[in-house]
Amino acid sequence: MIMPESDTSLPSSLPRPHRVLGLLGLLVAFLLLALLSYRVSEHFGIESMRRDASHQLDILGAAIDSEVTRHASIPSAVELNPDVLALLRAPSEAQDIRQVEANRFLQKLNDHLGGPAIFVLDMTGRVVASSDWIFSDNLLDSDLSYMPFFRDAVRGTPARHYAVDHVRHEPGYYFALPIRDETREWAIIGVAVVKSGIREVERRWLAQEAPALIVDRNDVVLLASPSTWRYATLHQQPPAVLERLGRQQFAGQPLGTISLDIDLDGTNEGKVIHLPRHLRADVPPTLGARPYLAMARHLSGTAWRVVVFSDLRPVGVQAATHAALSVAALGCLLLGILYTRQRRRLARGREEARAMLERANQELECKVEKRTADLSEAVSGLQREVQERQRAEQTLRAAQAELVQAAKLAVLGQMATGITHELSQPLGAIRTLSANAAEFMRRGDAATAGKNLAIVEQLTEQMGNIIGPLKTFARKSPAVSSAVDLAQALDGALFLFESRLKKESVVIERRIAADAGMAWCDRNRLQQVLVNLIGNALDAMQDEPVRRLSFAVDRASSGKLALAVSDSGCGFSEEALAHLFEPFFTTKQPGEGLGLGLTISRDILRDFGGDLMAGPAPGGGARFVVLLPPLPADYRKPTP
Ligand code: ADP
């Protein structure tokens, strides 16, 4: 059954160009969705990372601040110490004694505070007192005039700087305060300095998972994770500047061998930058760069900026996952829609098919009803026709019977002369004998009269013998098949022609095969056929000098009995042979023949299941073959 097209057809039912366009559209929709999901997820991922980075900066900033600035107030204490003031006020030759006192004070202060190096510079930048005076690598007499904090402090400005000292080459954070002498109108007579170690900060820094930097106001990296970035500059700087910075702050170490080329503008709010892959020393350098969220913050009270870098790859992976999930969700949604539509289409198709089937059933039922009515009509028409045919057949059979009877009577009529002749002789004799008998009775000669009457009796019996077969032949009886002895039937027929045969000197020849004596037919009708054939043969031989009539009975190959009746008559013309069995065909004179004998004979034989055929006889003349059914296989001879 052909399913009707519907608006819910699958894309495969669309024309090819539409299908291609549809698929392209779908692809574009998927791509757009993936892109959108990626972007949204990336945006939220970066936002979340920004919050984390800000929080991390808070923590780092607080840690650095507490570590670095906890000794910021020490120079004030140094400034007020009388030993230090005495040392700075004393002329250079008297400084040795003063220096010991000042050193002890500084050492005690240092021991009390636990760690930082505290020292005092004179106005030339030379260390005149130091808390580490007891160590051999102490700072005493070191010239720190090159350090930026010294220049600031002698100008009256408290200063703080990150620097590496050139004695121990240790980095540290320096707080410097000018020392004023109230006796000299608060003139600056020296500088009190405390150096905070930043080991704890360093340790904490290197433990950082994510890359992070501390850069100073000159964009020099002071602390870095990875540590290989330390003392690099953010940007390329002129060699003279680098040389000066190295000399002033980093104990003459060369700077600028690495330029990270990171632009920190706008990083306060977080900014996506790309860092090379060889970020860490333990990762082999490879090509390409990776995205990071860089976030910077100024440390209060310093000129430092802390920068943390958050790896954006997890965000990318998450965004890609979200994009894939969105695409998958859209795919599922589309599949769901397609599935639903397909189900609806199938359901509708089934419904339509059911409706069509119902319609077809109804149509079929209507057709069947109509055909049944037609057939009933045809059947009743046929029944009527059959009845009419049966009636016609009955009429025909009645007519045939009448015709057979008429033909018989016609034969009898033709034989009437011969019969009359046959009867006239005994009748005349009877008349004479009876008259003589009466005379002899009158004369009293009863014996002679008795003899005459005995002869009369014989003659009447002879007449009865003549009339008996005629009566039998003329009897109108329905055709009923039974076992018929062909020799007897032939004798009966020949008997009717007895006088004519004698008169016309006809030679009769008969040959009946041993296994062909009995046929299954109606004896009376067969006799009628034979009478007709014998009569025709005698008519045909009338003018012939030799009259021979032969009968031969054989069993044909078909199993039927074949009775051949041959004569030595004139035979048939070709035209006569062609029309022999047509009704009313006769070559005889009017009044001598009706032309019905052969037609009726053949009909009679066919009624039995036999037939009649005509042809020339071997020695001239005519030959008729009567085919008769043999006795049935189950025939049992009736017991007498
Ligand atoms: P009818 O004898 O009344 O003419 P039939 O039907 O018996 O009618 O015969 C038809 C014709 O067939 C005959 O008129 C005759 O011409 C031809 N016919 C029949 N038997 C013979 C025969 N034995 N020899 C020659 N002609 C025959």
Side-chain angles (χ1 to χ4, degrees):
M1 186 176 297
I2 298 166
M3 293 301 230
E5 284 287 330
S6 72
D7 56 343
T8 55
S9 315
L10 282 173
S12 59
S13 62
L14 291 172
R16 200 180 175 80
H18 289 198
R19 217 156 58 203
V20 171
L21 278 178
L23 281 175
L24 277 177
L26 211 60
L27 202 66
V28 169
F30 273 113
L31 284 175
L32 283 177
L33 179 73
L35 195 68
L36 187 70
S37 311
Y38 188 91
R39 288 286 174 226
V40 170
S41 172
E42 189 185 48
H43 172 76
F44 284 110
I46 290 174
E47 278 306 309
S48 158
M49 218 157 234
R50 193 171 275 145
R51 282 194 297 279
D52 290 349
S54 177
H55 184 59
Q56 192 185 1
L57 281 175
D58 289 343
I59 293 169
L60 283 174
I64 296 163
D65 191 48
S66 72
E67 185 69 24
V68 169
T69 61
R70 65 186 166 129
H71 300 126
S73 57
I74 295 171
S76 309
V78 174
E79 181 196 22
L80 299 173
N81 182 261
D83 292 330
V84 172
L85 285 172
L87 173 65
L88 289 173
R89 283 176 191 150
S92 53
E93 59 275 6
Q95 275 187 340
D96 286 352
I97 306 164
R98 305 284 178 203
Q99 190 182 40
V100 174
E101 292 304 316
N103 281 342
R104 281 199 182 124
F105 164 71
L106 292 179
Q107 184 192 0
K108 213 183 281 174
L109 188 62
N110 189 21
D111 290 346
H112 178 70
L113 293 171
I118 308 166
F119 48 91
V120 175
L121 306 181
D122 65 9
M123 289 303 285
T124 63
R126 188 174 61 88
V127 178
V128 289
S130 172
S131 60
D132 61 352
W133 65 286
I134 53 169
F135 298 106
S136 57
D137 57 344
N138 60 46
L139 285 171
L140 285 174
D141 289 333
S142 303
D143 182 4
L144 297 183
S145 61
Y146 64 88
M147 292 234 184
F149 66 81
F150 172 72
R151 287 199 305 277
D152 290 347
V154 292
R155 279 202 290 270
T157 314
R160 45 177 67 187
H161 279 299
Y162 173 92
V164 179
D165 71 78
H166 67 288
V167 178
R168 293 192 194 137
H169 294 281
E170 264 182 0
Y173 198 69
Y174 292 84
F175 292 91
L177 197 71
I179 301 172
R180 294 175 188 274
D181 188 358
E182 59 179 324
T183 60
R184 296 188 201 168
E185 296 179 347
W186 299 103
I188 296 169
I189 56 171
V191 176
V193 182
V194 65
K195 176 190 175 190
S196 294
I198 56 168
R199 287 196 188 285
E200 184 53 31
V201 177
E202 272 182 340
R203 194 189 56 72
R204 189 186 282 258
W205 211 254
L206 289 172
Q208 274 289 123
E209 266 288 314
L213 303 175
I214 294 179
V215 289
D216 67 5
R217 66 153 71 91
N218 300 311
D219 283 351
V220 177
V221 177
L222 302 180
L223 264 181
S225 168
S227 58
T228 45
W229 287 359
R230 197 169 186 185
Y231 303 138
T233 55
L234 287 184
H235 306 288
Q236 289 286 358
Q237 296 202 31
V241 174
L242 294 174
E243 191 274 328
R244 180 176 55 78
L245 289 174
R247 186 166 35 81
Q248 288 179 348
Q249 271 185 270
F250 300 97
Q253 282 186 55
L255 290 178
T257 47
I258 316 168
S259 167
L260 297 179
D261 200 20
I262 298 171
D263 181 11
L264 291 184
D265 290 348
T267 51
N268 284 358
E269 295 306 316
K271 174 182 166 189
V272 177
I273 61 161
H274 285 81
L275 295 179
R277 283 196 184 187
H278 50 275
L279 197 60
R280 288 175 174 273
D282 56 344
V283 176
T286 46
L287 286 174
R290 285 176 180 160
Y292 285 85
L293 176 74
M295 201 162 197
R297 180 157 309 163
H298 277 281
L299 278 181
S300 61
T302 70
W304 291 0
R305 276 186 291 176
V306 183
V307 190
V308 290
F309 300 93
S310 309
D311 193 348
L312 284 175
R313 273 178 300 169
V315 173
V317 170
Q318 195 182 35
T321 309
H322 284 157
L325 283 175
S326 314
V327 168
L330 180 64
C332 287
L333 186 71
L334 285 178
L335 278 178
I337 291 171
L338 270 181
Y339 175 73
T340 314
R341 292 178 70 172
Q342 182 73 356
R343 269 182 68 97
R344 268 199 224 136
R345 193 174 76 88
L346 283 176
R348 197 178 309 165
R350 268 200 298 273
E351 189 56 36
E352 280 168 7
R354 202 184 56 72
M356 278 174 75
L357 197 66
E358 224 165 71
R359 276 202 301 278
N361 266 345
Q362 283 170 356
E363 279 173 23
L364 195 67
E365 271 172 24
C366 285
K367 276 185 189 168
V368 167
E369 265 174 35
K370 193 170 172 298
R371 286 278 158 84
T372 312
D374 289 352
L375 275 175
S376 311
E377 207 174 307
V379 165
S380 44
L382 273 176
Q383 280 172 342
R384 275 198 303 278
E385 208 170 301
V386 166
Q387 282 168 355
E388 275 169 24
R389 286 206 175 187
Q390 280 172 343
R391 270 199 300 277
E393 210 173 283
Q394 279 171 0
T395 313
L396 185 68
R397 283 193 178 281
Q400 264 182 344
E402 289 302 323
L403 207 57
V404 168
Q405 192 59 22
K408 271 193 212 169
L409 295 179
V411 170
L412 283 177
Q414 283 170 10
M415 293 196 309
T417 322
I419 293 164
T420 312
H421 176 73
E422 287 288 323
L423 290 178
S424 62
Q425 269 188 338
L427 256 182
I430 287 170
R431 195 183 301 123
T432 309
L433 283 170
S434 57
N436 288 346
E439 189 53 43
F440 284 129
M441 288 289 280
R442 224 180 9 259
R443 287 178 193 170
D445 188 356
T448 310
K451 278 181 189 170
N452 278 4
L453 286 175
I455 295 168
V456 167
E457 189 187 355
Q458 273 177 6
L459 287 171
T460 51
E461 197 172 326
Q462 194 181 338
M463 284 172 72
N465 283 344
I466 292 169
I467 291 165
L470 282 174
K471 246 168 64 188
T472 313
F473 181 68
R475 196 171 60 221
K476 189 179 175 185
S477 59
V480 179
S481 287
S482 63
V484 175
D485 189 326
L486 288 181
Q488 283 179 6
L490 195 57
D491 285 343
L494 284 171
F495 178 78
L496 292 174
F497 289 98
E498 204 172 44
S499 61
R500 192 174 169 189
L501 290 170
K502 274 185 203 150
K503 201 170 118 190
E504 293 174 8
S505 312
V506 179
V507 181
I508 302 290
E509 291 174 356
R510 44 197 291 174
R511 183 179 59 79
I512 297 179
D515 64 337
M518 302 295 283
W520 187 252
C521 59
D522 182 274
R523 183 192 160 104
N524 189 261
R525 296 282 162 100
L526 175 63
Q527 222 169 324
Q528 183 178 348
V529 171
L530 292 176
V531 164
N532 196 40
L533 293 178
I534 294 167
N536 279 345
L538 293 178
D539 289 346
M541 291 189 296
Q542 229 163 16
D543 300 329
E544 300 298 320
V546 179
R547 301 180 187 105
R548 192 171 54 249
L549 188 56
S550 338
F551 300 93
V553 183
D554 278 307
R555 192 174 279 270
S557 56
S558 65
K560 286 189 174 161
L561 303 179
L563 166 58
V565 182
S566 313
D567 62 53
S568 57
C570 57
F572 316 108
S573 66
E574 259 185 42
E575 198 214 339
L577 193 58
H579 301 287
L580 221 50
F581 294 101
E582 287 175 11
F584 305 111
F585 172 79
T586 180
T587 55
K588 293 176 186 168
Q589 294 300 314
E592 288 181 8
L594 282 172
L596 284 173
L598 289 179
T599 315
I600 290 172
S601 295
R602 190 160 75 172
D603 285 350
I604 288 172
L605 289 171
R606 284 184 177 174
D607 266 358
F608 297 152
D611 209 346
L612 179 61
M613 291 166 292
R623 183 171 185 247
F624 285 87
V625 177
V626 176
L627 283 178
L628 289 167
L631 293 181
D634 57 354
Y635 174 73
R636 294 271 173 277
K637 199 174 172 185
T639 45

